Amino acid sequence: MKHIDIKKIFDGSLVGQKVTVCGWVRTCRDSKNMAFLELNDGTSLKHLQVVIDKSVMKGYENCTALGSAVKVEGTLVKAVSGNGVEINAENIALLGECPPDYPMQKKKHTMEYLRTIPHLRVRTNTFNAMLRVRSALSYAIHRYFQQNGYVYVHTPIITGSDCEGAGEIFRVTTHDWNDSYKTQKEYYDADFFGQKAGLTVSGQLEGEMAAMAMGKIYTFGPTFRAENSNTTRHAAEFWQIEPEVAFAELPDIIEIAEELIKYIINAVLTECPDEIAFFDERFEKGLTQKLKNVVESEFKVLDYTEAIDILKKSGKQFVYPVEWGCDLQTEHERYITEEVFNKPVFVINYPKDIKAFYMKQNPDGKTVAATDLLVPGIGEIIGCSEREVDTEKLTAAMKERHINVDEYKNYMDLRKFGACPHSGFGLGLERILLYVTGLGNIRDVQLFPRTVGDLK
Ligand code: 4AD
Ligand code: MG
């Protein structure tokens, strides 16, 4: 069906010409002589007004129901009011009717209700804008890495190892347990892969292997965590971007992370001004200015030990008490970024006992060369570290965590054959999207969210 995107119509270059557009009816106003339809085809947040002269055009009445899919031919003209454009319809055809039980008729639904109809909520302005920002953000992430010489690698989704060592893995199997298996080993031996398998929680370990050949790589794909945490920031399936850089130490990778975040936020500001203005108005007042400030600011780098001092001296009653050695909870992270620094903060040198086995141990014997990037309103958006390359230290860290070293033979080989300092991080796409849109719940930045007890 030859037609023009509504986004293209809005650039004004076709004024005076005959055009054909397709879209869904978003509003309809009827007056004595005229009818006005607003169409949206998903290419733009703005709706296109279609002007129908009732004295000339017959048979338009079946095209006015909200949600109907229609095709309009007409002449594009300057709008009678305002400085936009509109179409004087000459022909209008119904492509798909939309009966009155269409749930999106009502002007305003709550976000909670919309989550019950994920297949239809994409038709709201909010989801329309979110998905366009998500797309632009993803493209900007690829552009940043591609322009800087990184190789995009696809790490496996089905894996036999647990990168984060936290055991929050979804199992992949083709058969159920039954009593004919005498031992777990017998059961796993008989399974598809002949061993225990699961969905990846992170592509890092394989990413490190690729980086040991390609120098600079990044992954960008789905990761899965069976965390039973029902929060606004945890999803069971989320997209992660994981660069891994050979010959980079912690300060180097921090620089890269900061540059990436600024680059992609700037890209969204430039490429999605209507969407950001929409979110600014509807979801987070001052969003545009916040994002501009981030692009211009210098992120704070704060030692974990200093962070603990700040929290202890804050005089605040936190739900989770603060002691050196504790993991920072969202309430702590938000206090630091929102109330103390009011900008993104890299907290560095966490206690080694609360972090993953693969992180490089600092000479103090207590901390690791790791950082989380915390942002106001969200908390952690990036988990990052330099990797441990000393085989003995790495083995000891694995044993302390009851990790079976034999299952990580390939990973250990990286330390044996041409090992070098290297670092990487994981950026959660949904987390940065929450930050960039001001939306408050991870369930609203995914097309079909997967969270505990919810698989629509
Ligand atoms: O801090 P995490 O667990 O780090 C890793 O997975 C490392 N292997 C990354 C690396 O060094 N290559 O996760 C990284 C990021 C978090 O900062 C967060 O943004 C996001 O992934 N994330 C989640 N996002 C949504 N839902 C969840 N359940 C998430 N868990 C982590
Ligand atoms: Mg983390």
Side-chain angles (χ1 to χ4, degrees):
M1 192 169 296
K2 242 213 142 16
H3 67 283
I4 297 170
D5 289 347
I6 287 179
K7 184 184 167 72
K8 170 73 188 154
I9 295 279
F10 279 125
D11 76 16
S13 61
L14 300 173
V15 168
Q17 295 187 27
K18 281 239 160 107
V19 295
T20 302
V21 295
C22 295
W24 294 273
V25 176
R26 285 300 198 89
T27 66
C28 172
R29 269 187 307 125
D30 215 346
S31 68
K32 191 154 167 273
N33 303 320
M34 311 289 276
F36 303 92
L37 298 183
E38 283 196 323
L39 288 195
N40 189 289
D41 69 351
T43 60
S44 159
L45 190 59
K46 281 189 271 187
H47 308 330
L48 175 64
Q49 172 144 288
V50 177
V51 182
I52 298 167
D53 183 342
K54 289 161 106 170
S55 63
V56 182
M57 223 172 65
K58 300 294 167 209
Y60 72 90
E61 293 86 351
N62 63 347
C63 296
T64 58
L66 299 196
S68 306
V70 299
K71 177 181 172 185
V72 177
E73 288 165 6
T75 306
L76 191 69
V77 295
K78 284 209 150 65
V80 172
S81 61
N83 47 13
V85 292
E86 60 195 22
I87 292 187
N88 287 334
E90 283 147 32
N91 232 317
I92 179 161
L94 181 68
L95 302 176
E97 64 176 2
C98 192
D101 61 346
Y102 180 50
M104 309 311 292
Q105 299 251 7
K106 209 175 124 197
K107 263 272 174 274
K108 214 161 165 46
H109 283 305
T110 64
M111 298 300 272
E112 288 77 13
Y113 172 71
L114 290 173
R115 278 175 219 139
T116 66
I117 46 168
H119 62 302
L120 295 176
R121 70 173 184 174
V122 284
R123 302 178 185 199
T124 60
N125 291 338
T126 302
F127 283 86
N128 213 286
M130 181 280 287
L131 281 180
R132 225 170 299 100
V133 172
R134 185 172 170 127
S135 171
L137 196 61
S138 301
Y139 190 41
I141 290 166
H142 278 296
R143 217 167 43 232
Y144 172 84
F145 286 119
Q146 294 288 334
Q147 286 177 356
N148 286 288
Y150 290 70
V151 174
Y152 178 30
V153 301
H154 304 99
T155 48
I157 286 175
I158 301 177
T159 172
S161 62
D162 175 3
C163 172
E164 292 306 297
E168 292 152 341
I169 294 187
F170 285 103
R171 301 282 288 286
V172 172
T173 176
T174 52
H175 68 174
D176 290 335
W177 167 268
N178 66 50
D179 289 343
S180 72
Y181 301 111
K182 299 279 173 307
T183 60
Q184 273 202 1
K185 183 171 180 314
E186 215 177 276
Y187 167 67
Y188 291 127
D189 282 350
D191 205 347
F192 189 92
F193 296 104
Q195 65 169 88
K196 201 165 155 180
L199 296 179
T200 186
V201 297
S202 160
Q204 177 193 325
L205 303 188
E206 295 89 352
E208 281 187 54
M209 293 167 193
M212 288 302 104
M214 310 302 293
K216 298 199 286 186
I217 64 93
Y218 71 106
T219 73
F220 190 157
T223 46
F224 308 85
R225 294 198 188 174
E227 284 172 293
N228 201 355
S229 37
N230 204 349
T231 77
T232 54
R233 292 162 304 101
H234 289 89
E237 176 176 326
F238 62 97
W239 282 63
Q240 212 184 147
I241 297 95
E242 296 185 274
E244 192 69 36
V245 186
F247 315 111
E249 295 174 330
L250 188 65
D252 308 313
I253 197 76
I254 286 179
E255 221 177 282
I256 293 165
E258 180 166 343
E259 195 179 84
L260 169 72
I261 296 294
K262 288 178 176 172
Y263 177 85
I264 60 181
I265 289 183
N266 194 41
V268 171
L269 280 169
T270 315
E271 291 158 30
C272 305
D274 293 346
E275 288 77 6
I276 296 301
F278 170 85
F279 287 121
D280 193 319
E281 193 191 317
R282 300 289 184 87
F283 290 93
E284 184 180 331
K285 290 267 171 291
L287 176 69
T288 316
Q289 197 52 48
K290 174 187 92 174
L291 297 177
K292 283 185 178 159
N293 290 347
V294 169
V295 174
E296 275 147 31
S297 72
E298 200 180 312
F299 295 4
K300 172 76 184 167
V301 178
L302 177 73
D303 202 277
Y304 167 88
T305 303
E306 219 178 305
I308 293 295
D309 280 347
I310 291 174
L311 290 166
K312 280 185 143 176
K313 287 186 188 138
S314 69
K316 280 249 188 198
Q317 273 306 103
F318 294 112
V319 177
Y320 293 88
V322 178
E323 267 319 315
W324 197 96
C326 74
D327 203 357
L328 296 185
Q329 302 295 327
T330 305
E331 55 174 346
H332 308 138
E333 296 177 343
R334 293 189 56 173
Y335 176 78
I336 288 168
T337 46
E338 285 163 36
E339 297 187 42
V340 183
F341 297 103
N342 195 26
K343 61 177 175 179
V345 179
F346 286 104
V347 175
I348 59 168
N349 300 328
Y350 281 86
K352 73 174 188 209
D353 293 342
I354 57 167
K355 287 289 184 191
F357 69 92
Y358 51 73
M359 296 181 175
K360 184 183 164 65
Q361 296 167 37
N362 286 327
D364 64 12
K366 296 190 302 189
T367 61
V368 281
T371 183
D372 282 356
L373 177 61
L374 315 179
V375 298
I378 313 282
E380 176 191 343
I381 62 167
I382 282 180
C384 170
S385 65
E386 184 171 340
R387 317 309 189 186
E388 183 58 80
V389 287
D390 179 308
T391 309
E392 270 176 36
K393 285 187 183 164
L394 186 57
T395 309
M398 292 169 94
K399 288 194 169 145
E400 276 167 26
R401 290 163 181 77
H402 310 292
I403 294 170
N404 184 353
V405 182
D406 295 341
E407 290 175 10
Y408 291 77
K409 187 183 167 304
N410 292 352
Y411 189 65
M412 302 311 273
D413 270 357
L414 300 184
R415 277 67 190 163
K416 189 172 159 192
F417 305 126
C420 69
H422 61 288
S423 304
F425 63 83
L427 166 66
L429 181 67
E430 287 78 9
R431 296 270 177 98
I432 179 84
L433 201 54
L434 285 172
Y435 186 60
V436 166
T437 57
L439 287 165
N441 195 314
I442 198 158
R443 292 163 183 80
D444 302 328
V445 292
Q446 296 185 316
L447 187 57
F448 287 90
R450 269 81 182 89
T451 52
V452 195
D454 193 10
L455 187 72
K456 292 212 174 50

